[in-house]
Amino acid sequence: MKELFANRVLANDTSDLDEIFKNSANPENISFAGGFPDIRRFPDADLKQAYQTAIDQQGPAIFQYSATEGPQNLRQKLADRMASHAGVTATADNIMLTQGGQQAIDLVAKLLLNHGDAMVVEGPTYMGALAAFDTYEPTYYEVPVDQNGMNIRALRKTLQAHPEIKLIYTIPDFHNPTGTTLSAKRRQAMVSLANQYDVIILEDSPYRDLRYSGKSVPAIKHYDTEGRVVFISSFSKILSPALRTGWIVADQPIMAELIGLKSAIDVQSPNVTLQAINSYLDQHDIDAHIATINAAYRLKRDAMLAALDRYFPKNITYTRPAGGFFIWVTLPSDIDAKQLLETQVLPQAHVAYVPAACQFASRTVKNGFRLNFTSLDPVTITAGIKRLGVLLQANQAVAPVVPLKTAIQF
Ligand SMILES: Cc1ncc(COP(=O)(O)O)c(C=O)c1O
Protein backbone atom coordinates (compact mmCIF):
# COMPACT_ATOMS: atom_id res chain seq x y z
CA MET A 1 0.00 0.00 0.00
CA LYS A 2 2.95 2.33 0.63
CA GLU A 3 3.30 2.95 -3.12
CA LEU A 4 0.09 4.97 -2.80
CA PHE A 5 1.71 7.37 -0.31
CA ALA A 6 2.90 10.79 -1.49
CA ASN A 7 6.62 11.46 -1.88
CA ARG A 8 6.48 13.90 1.02
CA VAL A 9 5.62 11.06 3.38
CA LEU A 10 8.21 8.67 2.01
CA ALA A 11 10.88 11.40 2.32
CA ASN A 12 10.08 11.71 5.99
CA ASP A 13 11.67 8.79 7.82
CA THR A 14 11.18 9.13 11.58
CA SER A 15 11.81 5.46 12.43
CA ASP A 16 15.13 6.22 14.17
CA LEU A 17 13.46 8.66 16.47
CA ASP A 18 10.49 6.42 17.19
CA GLU A 19 12.97 3.76 18.30
CA ILE A 20 14.86 6.16 20.58
CA PHE A 21 11.74 7.44 22.31
CA LYS A 22 10.34 3.92 22.67
CA ASN A 23 13.56 2.82 24.38
CA SER A 24 13.71 5.85 26.59
CA ALA A 25 10.20 5.12 27.92
CA ASN A 26 11.63 2.01 29.65
CA PRO A 27 11.74 2.90 33.40
CA GLU A 28 15.06 1.07 33.79
CA ASN A 29 16.68 3.69 31.55
CA ILE A 30 17.67 7.23 32.43
CA SER A 31 16.60 9.18 29.39
CA PHE A 32 18.18 12.46 28.38
CA ALA A 33 16.52 12.11 24.95
CA GLY A 34 13.17 13.92 25.13
CA GLY A 35 13.01 17.72 25.11
CA PHE A 36 10.52 17.70 27.98
CA PRO A 37 9.88 20.37 30.63
CA ASP A 38 9.85 19.23 34.26
CA ILE A 39 6.33 17.98 35.00
CA ARG A 40 6.66 19.30 38.57
CA ARG A 41 6.95 22.86 37.23
CA PHE A 42 3.55 22.92 35.49
CA PRO A 43 1.22 25.46 37.20
CA ASP A 44 -1.64 22.94 37.03
CA ALA A 45 -3.78 24.43 39.82
CA ASP A 46 -3.45 27.93 38.34
CA LEU A 47 -4.30 26.64 34.87
CA LYS A 48 -7.34 24.79 36.19
CA GLN A 49 -8.51 28.03 37.78
CA ALA A 50 -7.80 29.95 34.55
CA TYR A 51 -9.96 27.57 32.48
CA GLN A 52 -12.74 27.88 35.08
CA THR A 53 -12.57 31.68 35.13
CA ALA A 54 -12.58 31.92 31.33
CA ILE A 55 -15.63 29.65 31.04
CA ASP A 56 -17.46 31.41 33.90
CA GLN A 57 -16.79 34.86 32.46
CA GLN A 58 -17.68 34.12 28.86
CA GLY A 59 -20.43 31.55 29.14
CA PRO A 60 -21.40 29.53 26.07
CA ALA A 61 -19.75 32.04 23.67
CA ILE A 62 -16.37 30.54 24.61
CA PHE A 63 -17.41 27.34 22.79
CA GLN A 64 -18.32 29.10 19.52
CA TYR A 65 -16.16 29.38 16.35
CA SER A 66 -13.94 32.45 16.52
CA ALA A 67 -11.21 34.31 14.63
CA THR A 68 -8.45 32.17 13.04
CA GLU A 69 -5.71 34.42 14.41
CA GLY A 70 -6.94 34.07 18.02
CA PRO A 71 -8.53 36.45 20.54
CA GLN A 72 -7.60 40.12 20.29
CA ASN A 73 -6.92 40.49 24.05
CA LEU A 74 -4.35 37.65 24.05
CA ARG A 75 -2.72 38.89 20.85
CA GLN A 76 -2.41 42.35 22.44
CA LYS A 77 -0.75 40.85 25.54
CA LEU A 78 1.72 39.01 23.32
CA ALA A 79 2.41 42.17 21.30
CA ASP A 80 3.19 43.98 24.59
CA ARG A 81 5.41 41.08 25.68
CA MET A 82 7.29 41.14 22.38
CA ALA A 83 8.16 44.80 23.07
CA SER A 84 9.19 44.30 26.71
CA HIS A 85 10.97 40.95 26.39
CA ALA A 86 12.35 40.83 22.85
CA GLY A 87 12.70 44.46 21.70
CA VAL A 88 10.15 43.84 18.92
CA THR A 89 7.59 46.49 17.97
CA ALA A 90 4.37 44.75 17.01
CA THR A 91 0.62 45.37 17.16
CA ALA A 92 -2.03 42.72 17.84
CA ASP A 93 -2.50 42.55 14.04
CA ASN A 94 1.05 41.24 13.72
CA ILE A 95 0.31 38.27 16.00
CA MET A 96 -1.40 34.96 15.31
CA LEU A 97 -1.88 32.13 17.82
CA THR A 98 -0.97 28.65 16.52
CA GLN A 99 -1.13 25.06 17.77
CA GLY A 100 2.36 25.17 19.21
CA GLY A 101 5.50 26.46 17.59
CA GLN A 102 5.40 23.29 15.53
CA GLN A 103 2.36 24.44 13.56
CA ALA A 104 3.97 27.85 13.11
CA ILE A 105 7.01 26.21 11.48
CA ASP A 106 4.75 24.17 9.21
CA LEU A 107 2.74 27.25 8.19
CA VAL A 108 5.83 29.26 7.24
CA ALA A 109 7.22 26.28 5.30
CA LYS A 110 3.88 25.90 3.52
CA LEU A 111 3.87 29.60 2.66
CA LEU A 112 7.34 29.61 1.13
CA LEU A 113 8.52 26.23 -0.08
CA ASN A 114 7.74 24.65 -3.42
CA HIS A 115 9.25 21.23 -4.12
CA GLY A 116 13.03 21.62 -4.44
CA ASP A 117 13.18 25.22 -3.17
CA ALA A 118 16.40 26.13 -1.42
CA MET A 119 16.63 26.93 2.29
CA VAL A 120 19.27 27.24 4.99
CA VAL A 121 19.16 25.26 8.22
CA GLU A 122 21.67 25.13 11.03
CA GLY A 123 23.76 22.00 11.32
CA PRO A 124 22.64 20.57 13.72
CA THR A 125 19.06 21.78 14.07
CA TYR A 126 15.71 20.93 15.71
CA MET A 127 14.67 17.55 14.33
CA GLY A 128 10.97 18.43 14.58
CA ALA A 129 11.57 21.35 12.22
CA LEU A 130 13.33 19.04 9.77
CA ALA A 131 10.30 16.72 9.94
CA ALA A 132 8.02 19.68 9.11
CA PHE A 133 10.26 21.00 6.32
CA ASP A 134 10.84 17.53 4.83
CA THR A 135 7.18 17.29 3.84
CA TYR A 136 7.70 20.26 1.47
CA GLU A 137 10.77 18.52 -0.05
CA PRO A 138 13.16 21.50 0.01
CA THR A 139 16.83 21.53 -0.97
CA TYR A 140 18.73 22.07 2.27
CA TYR A 141 21.94 24.02 2.70
CA GLU A 142 23.45 23.37 6.09
CA VAL A 143 25.35 26.14 7.90
CA PRO A 144 27.41 25.16 10.95
CA VAL A 145 26.78 26.41 14.47
CA ASP A 146 29.57 27.43 16.84
CA GLN A 147 29.54 28.83 20.39
CA ASN A 148 27.99 32.10 19.10
CA GLY A 149 25.24 30.46 17.07
CA MET A 150 25.02 30.18 13.29
CA ASN A 151 28.35 30.89 11.62
CA ILE A 152 27.66 34.07 9.65
CA ARG A 153 30.73 33.80 7.43
CA ALA A 154 29.53 30.38 6.29
CA LEU A 155 26.01 31.77 5.83
CA ARG A 156 27.32 34.59 3.63
CA LYS A 157 29.24 32.11 1.49
CA THR A 158 26.19 29.87 1.15
CA LEU A 159 23.95 32.77 0.10
CA GLN A 160 26.58 33.97 -2.39
CA ALA A 161 26.87 30.51 -3.91
CA HIS A 162 23.11 29.85 -3.96
CA PRO A 163 21.21 33.09 -4.62
CA GLU A 164 18.04 31.02 -5.13
CA ILE A 165 17.79 30.45 -1.33
CA LYS A 166 14.42 31.67 -0.04
CA LEU A 167 14.47 30.90 3.66
CA ILE A 168 16.85 30.81 6.61
CA TYR A 169 15.59 28.75 9.57
CA THR A 170 17.38 29.60 12.81
CA ILE A 171 16.98 28.96 16.55
CA PRO A 172 18.93 31.91 17.96
CA ASP A 173 18.23 31.52 21.70
CA PHE A 174 19.55 28.45 23.54
CA HIS A 175 19.54 26.52 20.30
CA ASN A 176 18.03 23.08 20.03
CA PRO A 177 20.16 20.95 20.11
CA THR A 178 23.41 22.77 21.01
CA GLY A 179 22.24 25.29 23.63
CA THR A 180 24.23 28.12 22.02
CA THR A 181 22.93 31.68 21.53
CA LEU A 182 23.42 33.87 18.46
CA SER A 183 25.36 37.04 19.35
CA ALA A 184 23.73 40.46 18.78
CA LYS A 185 26.35 41.27 16.15
CA ARG A 186 25.50 38.12 14.21
CA ARG A 187 21.76 38.88 14.46
CA GLN A 188 22.34 42.23 12.79
CA ALA A 189 24.57 40.65 10.17
CA MET A 190 21.98 37.97 9.43
CA VAL A 191 19.29 40.59 8.78
CA SER A 192 21.65 42.55 6.50
CA LEU A 193 22.36 39.38 4.52
CA ALA A 194 18.64 38.57 4.30
CA ASN A 195 18.00 42.08 2.95
CA GLN A 196 20.87 41.79 0.49
CA TYR A 197 19.87 38.36 -0.85
CA ASP A 198 16.08 38.78 -0.54
CA VAL A 199 15.56 35.94 1.92
CA ILE A 200 12.98 35.38 4.68
CA ILE A 201 14.32 34.56 8.17
CA LEU A 202 12.29 32.18 10.34
CA GLU A 203 13.37 32.96 13.91
CA ASP A 204 12.25 30.07 16.13
CA SER A 205 12.63 31.05 19.77
CA PRO A 206 10.70 28.88 22.26
CA TYR A 207 13.54 28.95 24.85
CA ARG A 208 14.10 32.72 24.85
CA ASP A 209 12.80 33.36 28.40
CA LEU A 210 14.70 30.41 29.92
CA ARG A 211 17.97 32.19 30.68
CA TYR A 212 20.04 30.97 33.65
CA SER A 213 23.07 33.20 33.27
CA GLY A 214 24.27 36.18 31.22
CA LYS A 215 22.30 38.97 29.57
CA SER A 216 19.39 38.80 27.13
CA VAL A 217 19.98 39.71 23.46
CA PRO A 218 17.27 41.40 21.33
CA ALA A 219 15.37 39.12 18.95
CA ILE A 220 16.56 38.98 15.34
CA LYS A 221 13.20 40.57 14.48
CA HIS A 222 14.29 43.62 16.50
CA TYR A 223 16.74 44.37 13.68
CA ASP A 224 14.19 43.73 10.89
CA THR A 225 13.68 46.81 8.71
CA GLU A 226 11.92 45.18 5.74
CA GLY A 227 9.33 42.87 7.33
CA ARG A 228 11.26 39.76 6.32
CA VAL A 229 11.77 38.19 9.76
CA VAL A 230 9.02 35.89 11.03
CA PHE A 231 9.36 35.29 14.77
CA ILE A 232 7.76 32.29 16.46
CA SER A 233 7.55 31.22 20.07
CA SER A 234 5.44 29.05 22.33
CA PHE A 235 3.89 28.53 25.76
CA SER A 236 5.15 24.91 25.71
CA LYS A 237 8.36 25.49 27.66
CA ILE A 238 7.16 28.29 29.95
CA LEU A 239 3.66 26.99 30.86
CA SER A 240 2.87 23.55 29.41
CA PRO A 241 3.29 21.79 26.06
CA ALA A 242 -0.18 20.19 26.34
CA LEU A 243 -1.72 23.63 25.83
CA ARG A 244 -0.46 23.30 22.24
CA THR A 245 -0.22 27.05 21.96
CA GLY A 246 2.42 29.06 20.19
CA TRP A 247 2.43 32.37 18.33
CA ILE A 248 3.77 33.96 15.18
CA VAL A 249 4.87 37.57 14.84
CA ALA A 250 4.93 38.71 11.21
CA ASP A 251 4.38 41.79 9.10
CA GLN A 252 2.08 42.12 6.09
CA PRO A 253 1.78 40.63 3.51
CA ILE A 254 3.14 37.52 5.23
CA MET A 255 0.65 37.55 8.12
CA ALA A 256 -2.44 37.72 5.86
CA GLU A 257 -1.27 34.61 3.97
CA LEU A 258 -0.41 32.72 7.16
CA ILE A 259 -3.91 33.37 8.54
CA GLY A 260 -5.40 32.03 5.29
CA LEU A 261 -3.23 28.90 5.45
CA LYS A 262 -4.10 28.21 9.10
CA SER A 263 -7.79 28.70 8.38
CA ALA A 264 -7.56 26.03 5.68
CA ILE A 265 -5.90 23.57 8.09
CA ASP A 266 -7.78 23.85 11.39
CA VAL A 267 -9.95 27.02 11.21
CA GLN A 268 -8.62 28.17 14.61
CA SER A 269 -6.76 26.96 17.67
CA PRO A 270 -9.06 25.79 20.48
CA ASN A 271 -10.67 28.97 21.79
CA VAL A 272 -11.21 27.60 25.30
CA THR A 273 -7.48 27.09 25.75
CA LEU A 274 -6.60 30.49 24.31
CA GLN A 275 -9.12 32.20 26.61
CA ALA A 276 -7.77 30.20 29.57
CA ILE A 277 -4.22 31.36 28.78
CA ASN A 278 -5.54 34.91 28.57
CA SER A 279 -7.16 34.51 32.02
CA TYR A 280 -3.96 32.97 33.39
CA LEU A 281 -2.01 36.01 32.20
CA ASP A 282 -4.62 38.33 33.78
CA GLN A 283 -4.50 36.54 37.13
CA HIS A 284 -0.85 35.54 37.48
CA ASP A 285 2.57 37.01 36.99
CA ILE A 286 3.99 34.73 34.31
CA ASP A 287 7.44 36.26 34.76
CA ALA A 288 7.42 35.23 38.43
CA HIS A 289 6.48 31.71 37.29
CA ILE A 290 9.28 31.72 34.72
CA ALA A 291 11.73 32.90 37.40
CA THR A 292 10.89 29.84 39.54
CA ILE A 293 11.34 27.53 36.53
CA ASN A 294 14.64 29.16 35.70
CA ALA A 295 15.93 28.74 39.25
CA ALA A 296 15.14 25.00 39.10
CA TYR A 297 16.52 24.53 35.58
CA ARG A 298 19.72 26.39 36.48
CA LEU A 299 20.39 23.81 39.20
CA LYS A 300 19.77 20.97 36.73
CA ARG A 301 22.06 22.50 34.11
CA ASP A 302 24.75 22.98 36.73
CA ALA A 303 24.32 19.39 37.94
CA MET A 304 24.73 18.07 34.42
CA LEU A 305 27.77 20.23 33.66
CA ALA A 306 29.41 19.26 36.96
CA ALA A 307 28.80 15.57 36.22
CA LEU A 308 30.14 15.93 32.67
CA ASP A 309 33.25 17.69 34.03
CA ARG A 310 33.74 14.92 36.56
CA TYR A 311 32.90 11.74 34.67
CA PHE A 312 33.49 12.32 30.95
CA PRO A 313 36.84 11.57 29.24
CA LYS A 314 38.80 14.75 28.61
CA ASN A 315 38.83 14.44 24.81
CA ILE A 316 35.05 14.63 24.67
CA THR A 317 33.77 18.21 24.45
CA TYR A 318 30.38 19.69 25.28
CA THR A 319 28.62 23.05 25.21
CA ARG A 320 27.96 25.15 28.34
CA PRO A 321 24.59 26.75 27.60
CA ALA A 322 23.40 29.92 29.35
CA GLY A 323 19.79 28.71 29.19
CA GLY A 324 17.30 26.45 27.44
CA PHE A 325 16.99 22.67 27.59
CA PHE A 326 20.05 21.10 25.96
CA ILE A 327 23.76 20.36 26.04
CA TRP A 328 25.52 19.08 22.92
CA VAL A 329 28.30 16.53 23.24
CA THR A 330 30.95 16.10 20.53
CA LEU A 331 32.64 12.69 20.37
CA PRO A 332 35.90 11.85 18.60
CA SER A 333 35.28 11.83 14.83
CA ASP A 334 35.40 8.04 14.41
CA ILE A 335 32.57 7.36 16.87
CA ASP A 336 29.04 6.90 15.58
CA ALA A 337 26.79 8.02 18.44
CA LYS A 338 23.78 6.07 17.14
CA GLN A 339 25.68 2.82 16.93
CA LEU A 340 27.17 3.45 20.37
CA LEU A 341 23.68 4.10 21.75
CA GLU A 342 22.23 0.90 20.33
CA THR A 343 25.11 -1.44 21.05
CA GLN A 344 26.37 -0.16 24.41
CA VAL A 345 24.76 2.91 25.95
CA LEU A 346 21.18 1.62 26.10
CA PRO A 347 21.83 -2.08 26.77
CA GLN A 348 24.75 -1.62 29.20
CA ALA A 349 24.51 1.84 30.79
CA HIS A 350 20.72 2.10 30.42
CA VAL A 351 20.98 5.73 29.38
CA ALA A 352 19.39 7.40 26.33
CA TYR A 353 20.32 10.48 24.29
CA VAL A 354 19.49 11.72 20.79
CA PRO A 355 22.34 10.85 18.40
CA ALA A 356 23.64 13.45 15.95
CA ALA A 357 22.60 12.17 12.51
CA CYS A 358 18.84 12.79 12.73
CA GLN A 359 19.55 16.38 13.82
CA PHE A 360 21.43 17.22 10.63
CA ALA A 361 19.54 17.81 7.36
CA SER A 362 22.42 16.03 5.60
CA ARG A 363 22.20 13.11 8.09
CA THR A 364 25.98 12.79 7.65
CA VAL A 365 27.42 13.94 10.99
CA LYS A 366 27.48 11.05 13.43
CA ASN A 367 29.92 11.95 16.20
CA GLY A 368 27.70 13.82 18.63
CA PHE A 369 24.55 13.70 20.69
CA ARG A 370 22.00 15.89 22.46
CA LEU A 371 21.37 15.71 26.19
CA ASN A 372 18.27 17.21 27.83
CA PHE A 373 18.73 18.42 31.42
CA THR A 374 15.29 19.86 32.31
CA SER A 375 13.06 16.81 32.73
CA LEU A 376 14.99 14.88 35.41
CA ASP A 377 16.05 15.82 38.94
CA PRO A 378 19.71 16.68 39.69
CA VAL A 379 20.40 13.37 41.49
CA THR A 380 19.16 11.31 38.53
CA ILE A 381 21.03 13.57 36.10
CA THR A 382 24.28 12.98 38.00
CA ALA A 383 23.65 9.20 38.15
CA GLY A 384 22.91 9.01 34.40
CA ILE A 385 25.91 11.07 33.35
CA LYS A 386 28.14 8.98 35.63
CA ARG A 387 26.92 5.76 33.97
CA LEU A 388 27.48 7.27 30.54
CA GLY A 389 30.89 8.63 31.50
CA VAL A 390 32.05 5.29 32.90
CA LEU A 391 31.01 3.59 29.66
CA LEU A 392 32.75 6.20 27.52
CA GLN A 393 35.93 5.89 29.61
CA ALA A 394 35.90 2.10 29.17
CA ASN A 395 35.24 2.52 25.48
CA GLN A 396 38.24 4.80 25.16
CA ALA A 397 40.44 2.27 26.91
CA VAL A 398 39.73 -0.30 24.18
CA ALA A 399 39.24 2.10 21.25
CA PRO A 400 42.01 2.37 18.67
CA VAL A 401 44.05 5.53 19.06
CA VAL A 402 42.86 7.97 16.42
CA PRO A 403 43.76 11.59 15.82
CA LEU A 404 41.26 13.82 17.62
CA LYS A 405 39.57 15.39 14.62
CA THR A 406 35.96 16.22 15.38
CA ALA A 407 33.45 16.85 12.65
CA ILE A 408 31.89 19.61 14.69
CA GLN A 409 33.54 21.41 17.54
CA PHE A 410 32.38 24.02 20.03
C1 LIG B 1 13.35 24.78 18.52
C2 LIG B 1 11.95 24.30 18.70
N1 LIG B 1 10.99 24.83 17.95
C3 LIG B 1 9.71 24.45 18.08
C4 LIG B 1 9.35 23.48 18.97
C5 LIG B 1 7.91 23.07 19.01
O1 LIG B 1 7.34 23.21 20.23
P1 LIG B 1 5.78 23.36 20.47
O2 LIG B 1 5.06 22.95 19.21
O3 LIG B 1 5.46 22.49 21.61
O4 LIG B 1 5.57 24.83 20.73
C6 LIG B 1 10.32 22.88 19.78
C7 LIG B 1 9.97 21.81 20.73
O5 LIG B 1 10.77 21.13 21.29
C8 LIG B 1 11.65 23.31 19.64
O6 LIG B 1 12.65 22.79 20.37
Side-chain angles (χ1 to χ4, degrees):
M1 188 185 282
K2 276 201 165 179
E3 68 279 4
L4 298 177
F5 294 177
N7 293 343
R8 76 178 72 91
V9 177
L10 299 175
N12 202 344
D13 179 9
T14 56
S15 52
D16 279 3
L17 276 182
D18 296 345
E19 198 59 27
I20 292 160
F21 288 110
K22 202 172 69 204
N23 282 326
S24 46
N26 178 347
E28 205 189 330
N29 297 332
I30 296 178
S31 177
F32 300 117
F36 289 7
D38 184 345
I39 192 170
R40 284 161 303 185
R41 299 289 148 197
F42 295 147
D44 47 333
D46 292 346
L47 285 170
K48 182 179 169 192
Q49 188 193 22
Y51 272 92
Q52 188 70 59
T53 306
I55 293 169
D56 288 348
Q57 280 180 350
Q58 295 186 32
I62 201 171
F63 297 107
Q64 186 54 283
Y65 282 117
S66 53
T68 299
E69 59 270 31
Q72 215 278 344
N73 44 11
L74 180 55
R75 287 186 290 118
Q76 186 58 52
K77 284 188 176 70
L78 289 169
D80 295 345
R81 191 168 180 84
M82 290 307 301
S84 56
H85 287 66
V88 173
T89 309
T91 68
D93 291 342
N94 300 125
I95 313 268
M96 173 165 73
L97 280 306
T98 57
Q99 300 234 32
Q102 191 66 28
Q103 184 182 48
I105 297 170
D106 183 59
L107 286 170
V108 174
K110 196 168 199 177
L111 175 70
L112 298 174
L113 299 173
N114 293 314
H115 172 84
D117 277 354
M119 67 172 293
V120 166
V121 289
E122 283 147 348
T125 189
Y126 165 48
M127 55 198 159
L130 288 177
F133 292 131
D134 280 353
T135 57
Y136 299 92
E137 302 173 87
T139 303
Y140 291 113
Y141 291 97
E142 215 162 57
V143 172
V145 175
D146 62 31
Q147 67 272 21
N148 292 313
M150 191 191 285
N151 182 315
I152 294 295
R153 201 174 303 158
L155 175 65
R156 181 176 293 112
K157 274 195 185 154
T158 305
L159 292 171
Q160 266 164 4
H162 304 283
E164 73 280 14
I165 286 171
K166 289 173 115 177
L167 171 66
I168 299 168
Y169 171 68
T170 180
I171 308 152
D173 302 300
F174 318 122
H175 180 251
N176 179 359
T178 65
T180 57
T181 292
L182 191 70
S183 67
K185 211 168 131 204
R186 287 189 180 188
R187 289 173 194 236
Q188 275 173 282
M190 189 184 283
V191 172
S192 302
L193 285 171
N195 291 343
Q196 186 183 344
Y197 289 95
D198 191 19
V199 175
I200 302 287
I201 297 173
L202 176 54
E203 176 179 23
D204 183 11
S205 187
Y207 303 101
R208 183 172 175 82
D209 291 333
L210 304 177
R211 177 173 281 282
Y212 318 134
S213 43
K215 272 214 189 115
S216 176
V217 194
I220 299 171
K221 184 138 187 74
H222 167 79
Y223 301 102
D224 184 16
T225 49
E226 299 185 355
R228 59 174 70 251
V229 181
V230 178
F231 175 98
I232 63 185
S233 191
S234 172
F235 286 105
S236 286
K237 318 297 181 185
I238 54 175
L239 277 182
S240 144
L243 297 170
R244 302 309 309 129
T245 303
W247 67 93
I248 304 185
V249 186
D251 292 276
Q252 301 299 350
I254 292 175
M255 181 50 89
E257 297 300 341
L258 291 173
I259 294 172
L261 288 172
K262 177 167 165 70
S263 173
I265 295 168
D266 60 359
V267 184
Q268 57 178 105
S269 296
N271 188 48
V272 185
T273 294
L274 299 185
Q275 297 291 355
I277 294 172
N278 188 58
S279 289
Y280 175 91
L281 295 174
D282 279 337
Q283 292 168 346
H284 301 280
D285 178 356
I286 192 171
D287 287 319
H289 170 67
I290 293 170
T292 62
I293 302 177
N294 284 353
Y297 287 175
R298 182 184 295 116
L299 292 178
K300 291 164 186 261
R301 175 204 60 179
D302 292 348
M304 185 171 275
L305 284 173
L308 288 166
D309 291 345
R310 180 152 178 210
Y311 297 114
F312 265 38
K314 295 296 166 238
N315 64 336
I316 291 177
T317 58
Y318 36 87
T319 54
R320 307 189 83 89
F325 271 36
F326 306 110
I327 289 173
W328 181 265
V329 176
T330 305
L331 298 168
S333 62
D334 65 322
I335 297 184
D336 178 338
K338 180 167 182 274
Q339 205 182 25
L340 188 73
L341 179 73
E342 288 167 356
T343 58
Q344 296 183 50
V345 173
L346 264 171
Q348 292 170 26
H350 302 289
V351 170
Y353 53 66
V354 182
C358 57
Q359 300 171 84
F360 283 82
S362 61
R363 310 290 199 268
T364 52
V365 177
K366 298 190 163 48
N367 66 319
F369 57 85
R370 185 189 83 173
L371 294 170
N372 166 267
F373 57 79
T374 53
S375 60
L376 301 171
D377 63 85
V379 173
T380 312
I381 289 173
T382 306
I385 295 298
K386 182 177 178 185
R387 284 195 217 164
L388 190 51
V390 167
L391 186 136
L392 289 169
Q393 298 276 11
N395 213 276
Q396 297 237 318
V398 293
V401 180
V402 289
L404 187 63
K405 179 169 61 68
T406 48
I408 49 165
Q409 182 74 60
F410 291 89

